[in-house]
Amino acid sequence: MKNFAIYYSYKEIGDVVIILFDNAKNATSSIRKNRVSVIYHNDEIIGYNIFDIKDIIKIKSEGMIYFPSNVLVSIINSVLQNEKLETLEYKTSSGYLIAQVGDIKPIDNEKFLLSLFINNDICHSVVKNCSLKTGDKVVIVQEGTFLNNGEMFKETNYENIKINAHVCTGVELGITNIDGILSLDNDSVIGDDFFLLEEK
């Protein structure tokens, strides 16, 4: 499975790893296979719940695991293989990338259309109550990346402009309880993965 999101919160839901493939479809049934519950929408698998994971690995995260390590994915895949279920692909990127703000155009009293530069590409986003300025660096997601509320970002259109980026708030990045778009330090590198862990 290529696009997926992994959640774990022992405090909120207990010792279960939740894996989402498609949050836009409602669960219609589930089948329990030992420690794995397979969630279906009709005949399509839309997620897995893996129970008693702390018997296998200790997970310190609370909430969305933005960039799961190869070790965690390997352990999950081992559990899935034991039940003859389709495994996850290893992630090379979290999907949360650093972009630079270009043009800012007001749409109405609270919405703004942003042009964003990422590597050699320009993308667009609509944001509310914008306090950003041209040159600021922010974290964005694009098509197919899950947000921490379980929703997958999908492209839309606004007046014939493709809205193909979502600018993340600090809450969405899991680093603050104060809502509002997170503006990064100037030394942040455009195009870098915000959650990339450098091996030393």
Side-chain angles (χ1 to χ4, degrees):
M1 299 276 190
K2 186 174 182 182
N3 284 337
F4 62 89
I6 299 178
Y7 298 84
Y8 183 83
S9 180
Y10 188 83
K11 292 177 182 176
E12 292 183 2
I13 57 175
D15 189 23
V16 54
V17 167
I18 296 173
I19 302 168
L20 283 179
F21 302 124
D22 191 341
N23 71 312
K25 296 176 181 176
N26 294 326
T28 56
S29 64
S30 65
I31 297 174
R32 181 73 181 261
K33 298 185 175 186
N34 295 313
R35 70 168 72 227
V36 182
S37 182
V38 186
I39 315 300
Y40 291 92
H41 173 79
N42 298 327
D43 294 328
E44 179 187 359
I45 295 175
I46 59 171
Y48 299 131
N49 291 342
I50 301 177
F51 299 91
D52 303 320
I53 196 72
K54 68 179 182 180
D55 293 344
I56 307 170
I57 186 173
K58 190 173 188 178
I59 300 176
K60 296 180 179 178
S61 298
E62 285 287 334
M64 182 170 172
I65 301 174
Y66 295 90
F67 200 170
S69 68
N70 288 348
V71 171
L72 177 58
V73 174
S74 292
I75 288 170
I76 288 171
N77 282 345
S78 178
V79 173
L80 297 175
Q81 285 171 342
N82 287 342
E83 305 303 333
K84 297 180 173 53
L85 295 168
E86 188 173 351
T87 56
L88 309 179
E89 291 187 13
Y90 295 97
K91 287 201 173 188
T92 56
S93 168
S94 69
Y96 287 74
L97 304 175
I98 297 170
Q100 188 168 40
V101 178
D103 291 337
I104 304 172
K105 295 180 180 178
I107 296 172
D108 56 32
N109 288 336
E110 62 175 24
K111 290 183 182 177
F112 296 81
L113 176 67
L114 302 186
S115 296
L116 300 151
F117 299 97
I118 180 165
N119 297 326
N120 295 320
D121 296 328
I122 299 176
C123 51
H124 296 94
S125 181
V126 173
V127 301
K128 290 184 178 181
N129 302 321
C130 182
S131 61
L132 297 170
K133 59 185 184 303
T134 298
D136 282 349
K137 294 178 182 177
V138 293
V139 181
I140 67 165
V141 299
Q142 295 178 294
E143 178 85 14
T145 298
F146 280 89
L147 300 171
N148 71 350
N149 63 0
E151 294 183 9
M152 181 189 292
F153 176 72
K154 294 182 179 179
E155 294 180 354
T156 58
N157 284 290
Y158 173 77
E159 294 186 354
N160 297 320
I161 297 173
K162 186 181 285 186
I163 304 303
N164 53 2
H166 171 82
V167 181
C168 298
T169 67
V171 171
E172 289 171 328
L173 296 170
I175 59 176
T176 179
N177 292 325
I178 301 172
D179 208 5
I181 293 171
L182 183 70
S183 182
L184 303 177
D185 295 335
N186 286 333
D187 58 357
S188 299
V189 179
I190 298 169
D192 272 8
D193 191 309
F194 183 72
F195 289 106
L196 181 63
L197 299 176
E198 295 182 4
E199 295 184 5
K200 296 184 179 179

Tab-separated table of all heavy atoms in Angstrom, residues 94-145:
chain	number	residue	atom	x	y	z
A	94	SER	N	8.005	12.271	4.250
A	94	SER	CA	6.779	12.400	5.038
A	94	SER	C	5.670	13.060	4.223
A	94	SER	O	4.500	12.948	4.545
A	94	SER	CB	7.042	13.247	6.291
A	94	SER	OG	7.276	14.606	5.935
A	95	GLY	N	6.071	13.778	3.154
A	95	GLY	CA	5.107	14.553	2.374
A	95	GLY	C	4.956	15.977	2.875
A	95	GLY	O	4.281	16.794	2.249
A	96	TYR	N	5.594	16.293	4.003
A	96	TYR	CA	5.540	17.645	4.586
A	96	TYR	C	6.815	18.383	4.167
A	96	TYR	O	7.898	18.107	4.680
A	96	TYR	CB	5.430	17.563	6.103
A	96	TYR	CG	4.064	17.119	6.582
A	96	TYR	CD1	3.648	15.802	6.463
A	96	TYR	CD2	3.173	18.028	7.143
A	96	TYR	CE1	2.384	15.394	6.889
A	96	TYR	CE2	1.913	17.638	7.574
A	96	TYR	CZ	1.528	16.315	7.442
A	96	TYR	OH	0.286	15.922	7.857
A	97	LEU	N	6.672	19.293	3.208
A	97	LEU	CA	7.826	19.921	2.589
A	97	LEU	C	7.870	21.423	2.872
A	97	LEU	O	6.839	22.060	3.097
A	97	LEU	CB	7.781	19.684	1.077
A	97	LEU	CG	7.693	18.216	0.639
A	97	LEU	CD1	7.544	18.124	-0.874
A	97	LEU	CD2	8.918	17.433	1.113
A	98	ILE	N	9.087	21.958	2.834
A	98	ILE	CA	9.285	23.387	3.091
A	98	ILE	C	9.151	24.163	1.781
A	98	ILE	O	9.759	23.817	0.766
A	98	ILE	CB	10.661	23.633	3.735
A	98	ILE	CG1	10.725	22.926	5.096
A	98	ILE	CG2	10.932	25.132	3.888
A	98	ILE	CD1	12.097	22.899	5.718
A	99	ALA	N	8.323	25.193	1.809
A	99	ALA	CA	8.102	26.039	0.634
A	99	ALA	C	8.254	27.499	1.039
A	99	ALA	O	8.222	27.847	2.224
A	99	ALA	CB	6.710	25.782	0.062
A	100	GLN	N	8.413	28.350	0.025
A	100	GLN	CA	8.548	29.787	0.278
A	100	GLN	C	7.357	30.529	-0.313
A	100	GLN	O	6.918	30.236	-1.431
A	100	GLN	CB	9.840	30.321	-0.326
A	100	GLN	CG	10.137	31.761	0.061
A	100	GLN	CD	11.552	32.159	-0.300
A	100	GLN	OE1	12.061	31.791	-1.345
A	100	GLN	NE2	12.188	32.921	0.575
A	101	VAL	N	6.860	31.475	0.441
A	101	VAL	CA	5.684	32.251	0.019
A	101	VAL	C	6.084	33.261	-1.042
A	101	VAL	O	7.059	34.004	-0.889
A	101	VAL	CB	5.051	32.982	1.228
A	101	VAL	CG1	3.868	33.832	0.777
A	101	VAL	CG2	4.630	31.974	2.302
A	102	GLY	N	5.320	33.278	-2.143
A	102	GLY	CA	5.507	34.273	-3.190
A	102	GLY	C	4.412	35.320	-3.095
A	102	GLY	O	4.314	36.042	-2.099
A	103	ASP	N	3.560	35.372	-4.099
A	103	ASP	CA	2.461	36.350	-4.103
A	103	ASP	C	1.394	35.996	-3.070
A	103	ASP	O	1.102	34.825	-2.836
A	103	ASP	CB	1.809	36.410	-5.485
A	103	ASP	CG	2.726	37.036	-6.531
A	103	ASP	OD1	3.634	37.787	-6.142
A	103	ASP	OD2	2.527	36.757	-7.725
A	104	ILE	N	0.813	37.039	-2.481
A	104	ILE	CA	-0.314	36.885	-1.555
A	104	ILE	C	-1.430	37.794	-2.051
A	104	ILE	O	-1.277	39.014	-2.083
A	104	ILE	CB	0.083	37.284	-0.110
A	104	ILE	CG1	1.290	36.474	0.362
A	104	ILE	CG2	-1.095	37.110	0.836
A	104	ILE	CD1	1.854	36.937	1.687
A	105	LYS	N	-2.550	37.170	-2.462
A	105	LYS	CA	-3.646	37.956	-3.009
A	105	LYS	C	-4.901	37.753	-2.160
A	105	LYS	O	-5.329	36.622	-1.950
A	105	LYS	CB	-3.936	37.527	-4.448
A	105	LYS	CG	-2.790	37.833	-5.392
A	105	LYS	CD	-3.119	37.396	-6.805
A	105	LYS	CE	-1.962	37.711	-7.745
A	105	LYS	NZ	-2.232	37.245	-9.135
A	106	PRO	N	-5.492	38.848	-1.654
A	106	PRO	CA	-6.734	38.697	-0.876
A	106	PRO	C	-7.890	38.248	-1.757
A	106	PRO	O	-8.035	38.710	-2.888
A	106	PRO	CB	-6.975	40.100	-0.318
A	106	PRO	CG	-6.200	41.012	-1.198
A	106	PRO	CD	-5.053	40.239	-1.753
A	107	ILE	N	-8.672	37.303	-1.218
A	107	ILE	CA	-9.882	36.848	-1.905
A	107	ILE	C	-11.091	37.578	-1.329
A	107	ILE	O	-11.950	38.061	-2.053
A	107	ILE	CB	-10.054	35.327	-1.747
A	107	ILE	CG1	-8.893	34.603	-2.430
A	107	ILE	CG2	-11.394	34.861	-2.306
A	107	ILE	CD1	-8.859	33.105	-2.180
A	108	ASP	N	-11.139	37.630	-0.009
A	108	ASP	CA	-12.183	38.380	0.690
A	108	ASP	C	-11.592	38.858	2.011
A	108	ASP	O	-10.373	38.939	2.147
A	108	ASP	CB	-13.457	37.535	0.873
A	108	ASP	CG	-13.182	36.217	1.589
A	108	ASP	OD1	-12.269	36.170	2.453
A	108	ASP	OD2	-13.872	35.221	1.296
A	109	ASN	N	-12.427	39.133	2.994
A	109	ASN	CA	-11.930	39.682	4.257
A	109	ASN	C	-11.081	38.703	5.069
A	109	ASN	O	-10.313	39.125	5.927
A	109	ASN	CB	-13.103	40.151	5.121
A	109	ASN	CG	-13.737	41.420	4.576
A	109	ASN	OD1	-13.082	42.172	3.859
A	109	ASN	ND2	-15.001	41.649	4.894
A	110	GLU	N	-11.237	37.401	4.819
A	110	GLU	CA	-10.463	36.447	5.631
A	110	GLU	C	-9.697	35.408	4.839
A	110	GLU	O	-8.842	34.722	5.389
A	110	GLU	CB	-11.383	35.725	6.625
A	110	GLU	CG	-12.474	34.890	5.999
A	110	GLU	CD	-13.265	34.113	7.034
A	110	GLU	OE1	-13.289	34.538	8.211
A	110	GLU	OE2	-13.829	33.080	6.665
A	111	LYS	N	-9.923	35.303	3.519
A	111	LYS	CA	-9.229	34.303	2.709
A	111	LYS	C	-8.221	34.952	1.777
A	111	LYS	O	-8.452	36.033	1.242
A	111	LYS	CB	-10.229	33.474	1.910
A	111	LYS	CG	-11.063	32.539	2.746
A	111	LYS	CD	-11.976	31.706	1.857
A	111	LYS	CE	-12.851	30.791	2.688
A	111	LYS	NZ	-13.788	30.021	1.825
A	112	PHE	N	-7.098	34.225	1.579
A	112	PHE	CA	-6.022	34.723	0.729
A	112	PHE	C	-5.544	33.598	-0.189
A	112	PHE	O	-5.490	32.437	0.218
A	112	PHE	CB	-4.844	35.224	1.566
A	112	PHE	CG	-5.171	36.399	2.434
A	112	PHE	CD1	-5.818	36.221	3.648
A	112	PHE	CD2	-4.850	37.687	2.040
A	112	PHE	CE1	-6.130	37.293	4.465
A	112	PHE	CE2	-5.161	38.778	2.845
A	112	PHE	CZ	-5.806	38.579	4.054
A	113	LEU	N	-5.169	33.958	-1.410
A	113	LEU	CA	-4.583	33.017	-2.356
A	113	LEU	C	-3.074	33.190	-2.328
A	113	LEU	O	-2.566	34.284	-2.564
A	113	LEU	CB	-5.122	33.272	-3.767
A	113	LEU	CG	-4.517	32.421	-4.884
A	113	LEU	CD1	-4.897	30.944	-4.708
A	113	LEU	CD2	-4.979	32.932	-6.250
A	114	LEU	N	-2.359	32.105	-2.020
A	114	LEU	CA	-0.903	32.153	-1.940
A	114	LEU	C	-0.272	31.437	-3.118
A	114	LEU	O	-0.728	30.359	-3.519
A	114	LEU	CB	-0.397	31.476	-0.666
A	114	LEU	CG	-0.870	31.962	0.689
A	114	LEU	CD1	-0.124	31.222	1.786
A	114	LEU	CD2	-0.681	33.460	0.839
A	115	SER	N	0.784	32.038	-3.669
A	115	SER	CA	1.682	31.328	-4.578
A	115	SER	C	2.867	30.866	-3.743
A	115	SER	O	3.404	31.643	-2.939
A	115	SER	CB	2.167	32.247	-5.702
A	115	SER	OG	1.088	32.663	-6.498
A	116	LEU	N	3.265	29.606	-3.923
A	116	LEU	CA	4.324	29.017	-3.106
A	116	LEU	C	5.379	28.394	-4.003
A	116	LEU	O	5.052	27.705	-4.978
A	116	LEU	CB	3.735	27.946	-2.179
A	116	LEU	CG	2.665	28.453	-1.210
A	116	LEU	CD1	1.678	27.351	-0.876
A	116	LEU	CD2	3.320	28.996	0.056
A	117	PHE	N	6.633	28.646	-3.663
A	117	PHE	CA	7.742	28.085	-4.430
A	117	PHE	C	8.322	26.883	-3.697
A	117	PHE	O	8.615	26.952	-2.503
A	117	PHE	CB	8.844	29.137	-4.632
A	117	PHE	CG	8.374	30.336	-5.391
A	117	PHE	CD1	7.970	31.482	-4.714
A	117	PHE	CD2	8.322	30.327	-6.773
A	117	PHE	CE1	7.533	32.605	-5.413
A	117	PHE	CE2	7.881	31.440	-7.477
A	117	PHE	CZ	7.486	32.583	-6.794
A	118	ILE	N	8.458	25.774	-4.425
A	118	ILE	CA	9.086	24.590	-3.865
A	118	ILE	C	9.938	23.971	-4.956
A	118	ILE	O	9.422	23.533	-5.988
A	118	ILE	CB	8.044	23.609	-3.293
A	118	ILE	CG1	8.712	22.388	-2.724
A	118	ILE	CG2	6.969	23.249	-4.280
A	118	ILE	CD1	7.829	21.559	-1.833
A	119	ASN	N	11.248	23.979	-4.741
A	119	ASN	CA	12.215	23.579	-5.767
A	119	ASN	C	11.950	24.420	-7.012
A	119	ASN	O	11.947	25.627	-6.934
A	119	ASN	CB	12.141	22.068	-6.024
A	119	ASN	CG	12.514	21.286	-4.769
A	119	ASN	OD1	13.357	21.703	-3.993
A	119	ASN	ND2	11.873	20.147	-4.585
A	120	ASN	N	11.693	23.798	-8.156
A	120	ASN	CA	11.456	24.580	-9.370
A	120	ASN	C	9.977	24.717	-9.697
A	120	ASN	O	9.620	25.145	-10.798
A	120	ASN	CB	12.177	23.929	-10.563
A	120	ASN	CG	13.684	23.963	-10.394
A	120	ASN	OD1	14.233	24.952	-9.930
A	120	ASN	ND2	14.348	22.882	-10.757
A	121	ASP	N	9.137	24.350	-8.757
A	121	ASP	CA	7.697	24.372	-9.004
A	121	ASP	C	7.019	25.522	-8.269
A	121	ASP	O	7.489	25.984	-7.234
A	121	ASP	CB	7.054	23.056	-8.549
A	121	ASP	CG	7.554	21.872	-9.362
A	121	ASP	OD1	7.855	22.063	-10.555
A	121	ASP	OD2	7.653	20.772	-8.795
A	122	ILE	N	5.886	25.933	-8.827
A	122	ILE	CA	5.016	26.904	-8.151
A	122	ILE	C	3.694	26.200	-7.878
A	122	ILE	O	3.124	25.547	-8.751
A	122	ILE	CB	4.770	28.153	-9.013
A	122	ILE	CG1	6.075	28.874	-9.309
A	122	ILE	CG2	3.799	29.097	-8.317
A	122	ILE	CD1	5.929	30.064	-10.230
A	123	CYS	N	3.229	26.294	-6.639
A	123	CYS	CA	1.921	25.731	-6.305
A	123	CYS	C	1.089	26.814	-5.627
A	123	CYS	O	1.588	27.903	-5.329
A	123	CYS	CB	2.059	24.479	-5.429
A	123	CYS	SG	3.110	24.666	-3.987
A	124	HIS	N	-0.177	26.513	-5.409
A	124	HIS	CA	-1.103	27.504	-4.862
A	124	HIS	C	-1.894	26.934	-3.701
A	124	HIS	O	-2.172	25.731	-3.653
A	124	HIS	CB	-2.059	27.988	-5.956
A	124	HIS	CG	-1.372	28.707	-7.070
A	124	HIS	ND1	-0.961	28.053	-8.218
A	124	HIS	CD2	-1.010	29.998	-7.221
A	124	HIS	CE1	-0.363	28.929	-9.022
A	124	HIS	NE2	-0.396	30.112	-8.441
A	125	SER	N	-2.243	27.813	-2.789
A	125	SER	CA	-3.031	27.424	-1.625
A	125	SER	C	-3.946	28.574	-1.236
A	125	SER	O	-3.628	29.744	-1.480
A	125	SER	CB	-2.104	27.079	-0.452
A	125	SER	OG	-2.843	26.677	0.675
A	126	VAL	N	-5.078	28.216	-0.632
A	126	VAL	CA	-5.974	29.221	-0.054
A	126	VAL	C	-5.896	29.088	1.460
A	126	VAL	O	-6.028	27.989	1.997
A	126	VAL	CB	-7.430	29.026	-0.529
A	126	VAL	CG1	-8.363	29.959	0.206
A	126	VAL	CG2	-7.524	29.260	-2.044
A	127	VAL	N	-5.633	30.206	2.149
A	127	VAL	CA	-5.519	30.196	3.606
A	127	VAL	C	-6.443	31.260	4.201
A	127	VAL	O	-6.837	32.207	3.522
A	127	VAL	CB	-4.070	30.444	4.078
A	127	VAL	CG1	-3.127	29.376	3.526
A	127	VAL	CG2	-3.593	31.829	3.685
A	128	LYS	N	-6.753	31.069	5.477
A	128	LYS	CA	-7.579	32.046	6.195
A	128	LYS	C	-6.710	32.902	7.101
A	128	LYS	O	-5.695	32.441	7.624
A	128	LYS	CB	-8.634	31.332	7.042
A	128	LYS	CG	-9.733	30.666	6.244
A	128	LYS	CD	-10.778	30.069	7.173
A	128	LYS	CE	-11.910	29.451	6.389
A	128	LYS	NZ	-12.945	28.877	7.284
A	129	ASN	N	-7.133	34.143	7.283
A	129	ASN	CA	-6.502	35.061	8.246
A	129	ASN	C	-4.980	35.037	8.135
A	129	ASN	O	-4.258	34.747	9.083
A	129	ASN	CB	-6.930	34.698	9.674
A	129	ASN	CG	-8.438	34.738	9.824
A	129	ASN	OD1	-9.105	35.603	9.288
A	129	ASN	ND2	-8.967	33.768	10.558
A	130	CYS	N	-4.503	35.348	6.961
A	130	CYS	CA	-3.075	35.230	6.656
A	130	CYS	C	-2.260	36.359	7.287
A	130	CYS	O	-2.523	37.537	7.070
A	130	CYS	CB	-2.890	35.242	5.143
A	130	CYS	SG	-1.184	35.055	4.630
A	131	SER	N	-1.262	35.978	8.074
A	131	SER	CA	-0.325	36.960	8.629
A	131	SER	C	1.055	36.797	7.990
A	131	SER	O	2.032	37.381	8.448
A	131	SER	CB	-0.222	36.789	10.149
A	131	SER	OG	0.254	35.490	10.470
A	132	LEU	N	1.123	35.997	6.924
A	132	LEU	CA	2.397	35.751	6.242
A	132	LEU	C	2.763	36.927	5.351
A	132	LEU	O	1.932	37.753	5.003
A	132	LEU	CB	2.288	34.480	5.388
A	132	LEU	CG	2.023	33.171	6.131
A	132	LEU	CD1	1.689	32.060	5.144
A	132	LEU	CD2	3.222	32.785	6.988
A	133	LYS	N	4.042	36.950	4.976
A	133	LYS	CA	4.503	37.936	4.013
A	133	LYS	C	5.368	37.240	2.969
A	133	LYS	O	5.861	36.126	3.196
A	133	LYS	CB	5.273	39.062	4.699
A	133	LYS	CG	6.493	38.627	5.476
A	133	LYS	CD	7.105	39.800	6.224
A	133	LYS	CE	8.385	39.431	6.947
A	133	LYS	NZ	8.241	38.334	7.912
A	134	THR	N	5.539	37.874	1.839
A	134	THR	CA	6.359	37.322	0.770
A	134	THR	C	7.764	37.015	1.297
A	134	THR	O	8.368	37.851	1.975
A	134	THR	CB	6.439	38.302	-0.412
A	134	THR	OG1	5.119	38.501	-0.923
A	134	THR	CG2	7.333	37.771	-1.510
A	135	GLY	N	8.247	35.815	0.997
A	135	GLY	CA	9.577	35.395	1.450
A	135	GLY	C	9.548	34.491	2.662
A	135	GLY	O	10.541	33.818	2.961
A	136	ASP	N	8.424	34.479	3.376
A	136	ASP	CA	8.311	33.572	4.528
A	136	ASP	C	8.391	32.123	4.063
A	136	ASP	O	8.013	31.781	2.936
A	136	ASP	CB	6.978	33.781	5.257
A	136	ASP	CG	6.988	35.006	6.150
A	136	ASP	OD1	8.068	35.582	6.367
A	136	ASP	OD2	5.900	35.404	6.622
A	137	LYS	N	8.880	31.269	4.962
A	137	LYS	CA	8.954	29.839	4.667
A	137	LYS	C	7.950	29.095	5.542
A	137	LYS	O	7.811	29.387	6.727
A	137	LYS	CB	10.375	29.324	4.890
A	137	LYS	CG	11.365	29.920	3.895
A	137	LYS	CD	12.783	29.457	4.144
A	137	LYS	CE	13.743	30.111	3.153
A	137	LYS	NZ	15.149	29.731	3.406
A	138	VAL	N	7.251	28.163	4.906
A	138	VAL	CA	6.171	27.439	5.573
A	138	VAL	C	6.275	25.957	5.222
A	138	VAL	O	7.050	25.556	4.355
A	138	VAL	CB	4.793	27.985	5.137
A	138	VAL	CG1	4.593	29.412	5.629
A	138	VAL	CG2	4.620	27.897	3.610
A	139	VAL	N	5.459	25.160	5.894
A	139	VAL	CA	5.381	23.731	5.596
A	139	VAL	C	4.091	23.480	4.830
A	139	VAL	O	3.022	23.950	5.218
A	139	VAL	CB	5.393	22.885	6.887
A	139	VAL	CG1	5.327	21.394	6.551
A	139	VAL	CG2	6.637	23.189	7.721
A	140	ILE	N	4.223	22.746	3.725
A	140	ILE	CA	3.054	22.431	2.912
A	140	ILE	C	2.934	20.920	2.711
A	140	ILE	O	3.913	20.185	2.870
A	140	ILE	CB	3.088	23.121	1.533
A	140	ILE	CG1	4.227	22.557	0.676
A	140	ILE	CG2	3.186	24.619	1.680
A	140	ILE	CD1	4.123	22.908	-0.795
A	141	VAL	N	1.723	20.490	2.384
A	141	VAL	CA	1.520	19.136	1.866
A	141	VAL	C	0.847	19.270	0.512
A	141	VAL	O	0.195	20.277	0.216
A	141	VAL	CB	0.668	18.255	2.802
A	141	VAL	CG1	1.340	18.085	4.145
A	141	VAL	CG2	-0.740	18.816	2.977
A	142	GLN	N	1.025	18.239	-0.301
A	142	GLN	CA	0.405	18.214	-1.614
A	142	GLN	C	-0.449	16.955	-1.755
A	142	GLN	O	-0.631	16.206	-0.793
A	142	GLN	CB	1.496	18.312	-2.702
A	142	GLN	CG	2.225	19.662	-2.667
A	142	GLN	CD	3.336	19.770	-3.683
A	142	GLN	OE1	4.328	19.079	-3.596
A	142	GLN	NE2	3.161	20.660	-4.655
A	143	GLU	N	-0.961	16.744	-2.935
A	143	GLU	CA	-1.889	15.645	-3.219
A	143	GLU	C	-1.427	14.318	-2.625
A	143	GLU	O	-0.278	13.909	-2.803
A	143	GLU	CB	-2.047	15.491	-4.739
A	143	GLU	CG	-2.928	14.364	-5.191
A	143	GLU	CD	-4.401	14.724	-5.220
A	143	GLU	OE1	-4.725	15.920	-5.146
A	143	GLU	OE2	-5.216	13.804	-5.326
A	144	GLY	N	-2.334	13.652	-1.901
A	144	GLY	CA	-2.061	12.309	-1.403
A	144	GLY	C	-1.437	12.223	-0.034
A	144	GLY	O	-1.242	11.123	0.484
A	145	THR	N	-1.129	13.357	0.590
A	145	THR	CA	-0.529	13.335	1.931
A	145	THR	C	-1.623	13.489	2.985
A	145	THR	O	-2.505	14.329	2.852
A	145	THR	CB	0.505	14.469	2.079
A	145	THR	OG1	1.557	14.263	1.133
A	145	THR	CG2	1.105	14.481	3.488
